Amino acid sequence: MARQKSIRFQMKEALGKMAAYGTSKHEQRQQSKAEGVDLTKGKIYSYGTMRTYQNEVKRYGDWLENRGMHKCSMDEAASHIQEYLNHQTDRGLSAWSVHTTAAALSKTFQTDMRDYSIPRRQLCDITRSRGVRSHDEANNRRAGDVLEANRTLALRRNELKNLRVSNFTDGGSSITMSTIGKGGKHNETVFRHPEELATIRELIANKEPADYVFDRQAFKNDADYHQARAEGFQLRYQRICEDMRQRPEARAEYQQAIRDAFAAKGRELREDLNRPYVCRGSHREALERQGIAVTYDRTAVMMVSLESHYRSDVLVQHYLAK
């Protein structure tokens, strides 16, 4: 008789079979549309997502073990998911954390996440990069140079850590930065403002192409690189808005650049570039209480979003309106 595997092992095994590293999720989505079949179902394309989901199922396995279900079946484990999500909510975990748990377990057990009752995620409840932390001052001293540079580069922590001189191409009047971002996405950022060019040239001066731009030791802290990234996006947004005020023809130039970028990626541009982006709901109410703008120029927003997200809502909600 075969030995019964632990539920933790069964869950990790189920997730492991879904790994699709090196496969383009975007291409499979396009193929799915053409064939009328969802080819992305039951697949995990990102190492980061797999790591997060494996950690979530480990915690769920611990919870089941503590209730005497060390070697229960997958079907029995699936029947306790809602109870576990309620437990996570009662513990005081944020709606965002509970949502991640639900996503991981839904993927593992191939269930529909909509079948579970979980707290609604609201932008006004986000605490990341909001306010001042007690150790911010110390982090600013340790990582001050990197944080200041990131107000120009606007990268994530891991992207900064792995940034090399070879990621930059100096074209004289502009510098192009090519990076691999979240989920293996290839991003390109073109810098044209004189201050940006001066900052980047100073960063890479006297370094070899294979050299890291920043000392790896500079990242042994929990400095708020996300806030510096947001400030970088905010500055670019302001510069584009100012350019459109100074040069009436600039708006048409930016809009054409956005259309060309979407076409080059094989994406459909569904946003009306002439219509302002307006924050709504509880997010709008929270912004108004803080005296933060709730209306944004969609052309400028989309121009900045081409560096990573290609979506105005992500850029405004997580970077500009804060």
Side-chain angles (χ1 to χ4, degrees):
M1 183 176 176
R3 185 176 162 186
Q4 176 69 30
K5 299 174 182 176
S6 72
I7 185 57
R8 187 189 291 110
F9 182 89
Q10 292 178 65
M11 292 189 292
K12 289 200 168 189
E13 186 178 48
L15 276 178
K17 292 177 180 178
M18 299 180 196
Y21 311 137
T23 305
S24 170
K25 187 176 184 179
H26 174 68
E27 289 179 4
Q28 291 219 313
R29 277 178 172 167
Q30 297 298 104
Q31 192 178 346
S32 295
K33 289 180 182 178
E35 297 180 10
V37 179
D38 186 2
L39 301 175
T40 65
K41 186 176 177 63
K43 292 182 182 178
I44 297 176
Y45 298 86
S46 161
Y47 288 106
T49 300
M50 178 65 81
R51 185 166 54 249
T52 298
Y53 284 10
Q54 291 280 13
N55 287 335
E56 290 293 340
V57 299
K58 179 184 181 300
R59 283 189 280 269
Y60 184 45
D62 292 341
W63 183 85
L64 289 170
E65 257 188 44
N66 290 335
R67 281 152 183 77
M69 292 179 277
H70 174 57
K71 291 190 175 183
C72 67
S73 68
M74 288 287 281
D75 286 342
E76 185 179 356
S79 69
H80 292 279
I81 291 176
Q82 183 63 65
E83 183 184 353
Y84 178 66
L85 295 174
N86 293 343
H87 169 72
Q88 298 292 73
T89 303
D90 293 341
R91 283 179 56 213
L93 268 64
S94 72
W96 303 81
S97 296
V98 177
H99 187 278
T100 300
T101 302
L105 297 180
S106 295
K107 178 68 79 171
T108 304
F109 293 96
Q110 293 293 282
T111 55
D112 192 332
M113 193 168 159
R114 291 171 296 185
D115 291 340
Y116 304 117
S117 174
I118 57 177
R120 183 183 175 189
R121 296 180 296 175
Q122 298 193 83
L123 290 164
C124 59
D125 293 332
I126 294 177
T127 58
R128 183 186 184 189
S129 297
R130 265 71 166 179
V132 178
R133 301 177 300 172
S134 59
H135 52 292
D136 277 347
E137 187 176 343
N139 279 328
N140 289 341
R141 287 196 302 270
R142 295 191 194 101
D145 291 343
V146 183
L147 289 170
E148 185 58 39
N150 206 33
R151 293 183 177 96
T152 295
L153 302 175
L155 295 174
R156 296 182 178 91
R157 180 192 184 95
N158 204 46
E159 294 164 2
L160 284 168
K161 188 176 180 180
N162 295 311
L163 190 65
R164 297 178 187 266
V165 175
S166 57
N167 290 116
F168 295 95
T169 303
D170 195 334
S173 61
S174 66
I175 294 177
T176 301
M177 178 178 68
S178 303
T179 57
I180 298 178
K182 202 171 179 180
K185 189 187 299 180
H186 291 259
N187 299 319
E188 272 198 357
T189 304
V190 180
F191 300 95
R192 293 188 176 87
H193 194 276
E195 290 181 18
E196 296 173 339
L197 301 182
T199 297
I200 294 171
R201 284 172 181 145
E202 184 178 350
L203 284 173
I204 63 178
N206 303 317
K207 290 186 175 78
E208 296 298 319
D211 290 347
Y212 287 112
V213 175
F214 303 107
D215 185 343
R216 309 275 279 185
Q217 298 298 313
F219 296 92
K220 291 189 174 181
N221 54 68
D222 66 341
D224 199 348
Y225 297 103
H226 185 270
Q227 175 60 27
R229 172 175 162 87
E231 290 172 12
F233 284 146
Q234 290 163 11
L235 183 57
R236 274 177 226 167
Y237 170 80
Q238 291 161 7
R239 284 172 173 165
I240 292 171
C241 288
E242 180 61 26
D243 188 29
M244 290 191 291
R245 281 192 290 269
Q246 297 292 332
R247 297 189 305 120
E249 68 275 15
R251 180 172 295 277
E253 294 171 6
Y254 285 127
Q255 290 183 351
Q256 188 57 52
I258 293 166
R259 295 188 190 98
D260 291 345
F262 269 78
K265 291 280 187 180
R267 298 187 178 194
E268 180 184 356
L269 176 61
R270 299 178 180 177
E271 302 199 37
D272 183 350
L273 298 176
N274 292 310
R275 184 178 178 182
Y277 181 95
V278 182
C279 300
R280 303 186 185 282
S282 59
H283 187 217
R284 179 191 180 108
E285 293 169 4
L287 293 174
E288 289 177 333
R289 285 196 299 271
Q290 299 171 66
I292 299 175
V294 296
T295 303
Y296 296 84
D297 187 298
R298 196 180 295 263
T299 297
V301 169
M302 286 302 297
M303 195 65 201
V304 178
S305 79
L306 296 181
E307 297 172 21
S308 57
H309 303 98
Y310 279 72
R311 285 171 52 188
S312 60
D313 58 342
V314 174
L315 191 76
V316 172
Q317 293 169 3
H318 296 279
Y319 296 98
L320 299 185
K322 57 182 294 185

